[in-house]
Structure formats: structure tokens, C-alpha cells
Amino acid sequence: MVKVTLPNDQFLNPDFVETKVLELLKPKLIWLPYLARVEVDAKGIRYRKEKASPAGDPEMRAPRPVTPGAKFPTVSISQLEEDAARIGRRGFEVRISEDAREAPEGIDEIARAYERVAFYLAMAVNMDIGQTLYADVRQASSIPNFQFPIGDPWSDPEDAKPIEDLLALAGAMEQAYMPYQLTDVFVHLENYRELARYLLNLNVDQDAKEQMWGVPSFTEDNIKIPVLGLTVHRVPKDAAAIGGIQEGKILGLDRNFPAATYYYTRSKVYESRTENDIGFSLHHYTDDETHDEVFQMWVDYVVVVKEPGAGIAASGI
């Protein structure tokens, strides 16, 4: 049988498909910059999780002067809990019809298929990570005598106090003997707009506004607030990235100390053609009945919060 090369076959090459989908997928994974990433070989992992601050550790020892012949004080760590997790898989398949393969205009159908699967895969991963982070970092409601929010919900134009709320959240992140500081805050798109509106309507001149708060921009995904030393990110309203960050909720993280670790593995059966650090794999075959070109794509990973104090979750804004 003579092999026929059709106009769009170059866009169905597995090497091309994997590279293209990864190119579309990774920028949509909004939590990756805030996670440590570790590649593992096994499906099951064991890890150690911080339970309490060093100040609350019954094994805490104070440094003392060391004289000749004296022993150094021994530091033991008793507040790390061992836990286990298992790598999970999230994936989709894309079917490219015989017509799309044959017709020159089919390139549009092929391109939209890759964009759609990258969107859906990002949606699933983002939702999972967002829910895990929000549920497992330090909860503001568990902090004794901590009032949050300071004012009314941010939707109230009269009594909302979003800057005071962010300042209070930053203060709650700072714990004795811990290095964590609030650097990044994530809120729902509606709350982001409420914050931007509040900043735009501040009764101060433009120069003071720029120096103190920065200039909110509806064309970007974040607002930098210099006076607080943090960045507020909007989390898209659609289900692609909401995860646990629904309207009224707020998640704070320390970019310099990842609260969670992203463990991933790469398939040994369907080895990745493109180097990637998210556990992405692809399998391609032709359906003999429909003649569709089928691409199955998935990510093998699990996210665990190992340092709850490097994040803070609250609600009520």
C-alpha cells in the first residue's frame, strides 16, 4: 500500500502535537510559579509536613555560649508529621476527523482542538491545586483573636476596608521564628474589580496614588501595591482557574517559600517526546472504525501542602 501524505499531516505529528499543547497548557497553569516541583518514579510518595512553628516545638532549644570542651546543644525536630499521597492522573482525548486531515481548511479545526484540550486540562489541574491550597494552608479562622475582614465585604462602597484587610492578612502571615511573609494574594475576579474600583476612587491626588498604591489596570492580571509590598492577582471567573478561590474568599502565599510541592511522574510506557516538568504524556492512534486521529493527553501528579504557614486562607471579603 502506498502511504499518502495529506495536507494537514504535519500538524498531526505526535512530536508537533505534544510541543504545541504544552506551549498552550503551561501558561494557563496559574499555580505553578508558587509550587516546588519534584519528579518521582513511584506512584506512591511519602513526605513530611510541618505541624507547628519552631516556637511551639517542645523540643526547641536556645543557643548558648560554647566554651572549650563543651558540647553544642542538640536540636531535635518533633513537629514534622509523616504522610503519604498517591500520584493521580487527569487527562482528555482529542479526535481529529478524516475530513479535517484531508481539507486544507481543516487546520482551523485542528488548532481549535488543541486549544480546547489545553484549556480543559488546565481547568482540571488549576481547580485541583486551588482547592488543595485553600483547604490545607493556615486558616485565618483558626488564629485566636484575629478579626477578618476588618470592614464590610469589598462590595460595600461605604464600609469596605480592603487595604486594612490586606494589611491584617499580611500581619497574620508573620509568625514567631518563621520566615514567611505575604507576597502574593489571590482573589476572585469580582473581588479584584472591587479592589481596583476602591483604589481608583481614593480621594488623593494622582502622584500620591501612584507612589502609595500603584495604578490599578483592568488590562492586566494583577495589582502591585507598593505600600504593602504585595501583589494582588485576579483569578479568572470561569471554572478554568477558580479552584477553591470562589467569590468572597482570599488566598495569600509567600512566593519565596512554596507552601506546597507538586510531585509528578512521567510515563515509562508513553515517554514524553518533549522535556517537561509537569508530568505530561501523550498517546496517539488511528481509530480503525471512524478513521479519526486520536490523541490522548494527561498529566500524572499530586500536590501536597507541606508548609501550611507559608500560606493563609480567609473568607468574607
Side-chain angles (χ1 to χ4, degrees), residues 152-162 194 198:
D152 286 347
W154 292 3
S155 57
D156 186 333
E158 299 296 330
D159 298 315
K161 299 179 179 179
E194 290 159 1
Y198 175 87

Side-chain angles (χ1 to χ4, degrees), residues 12 94-98 100-101 109-110 113-114 291-295:
L12 299 174
V94 172
R95 286 179 171 264
I96 307 297
S97 68
E98 189 174 13
R101 184 185 173 201
E109 178 183 330
I110 294 171
Y114 298 158
H291 301 167
D292 289 347
E293 298 297 315
V294 183
F295 294 90

Side-chain angles (χ1 to χ4, degrees), residues 70-134:
K71 292 184 177 180
F72 284 90
T74 301
V75 175
S76 299
I77 300 174
S78 63
Q79 297 298 307
L80 291 181
E81 293 181 331
E82 188 171 274
D83 210 337
R86 184 168 180 80
I87 298 289
R89 176 171 293 181
R90 283 172 172 77
F92 296 92
E93 74 173 28
V94 172
R95 286 179 171 264
I96 307 297
S97 68
E98 189 174 13
D99 289 343
R101 184 185 173 201
E102 291 180 353
E105 61 271 20
I107 184 59
D108 178 60
E109 178 183 330
I110 294 171
R112 285 188 289 110
Y114 298 158
E115 290 171 357
R116 189 65 57 89
V117 76
F119 176 85
Y120 286 151
L121 197 50
M123 175 178 68
V125 174
N126 282 335
M127 288 182 67
D128 177 51
I129 297 175
Q131 289 167 352
T132 300
L133 285 169
Y134 189 88

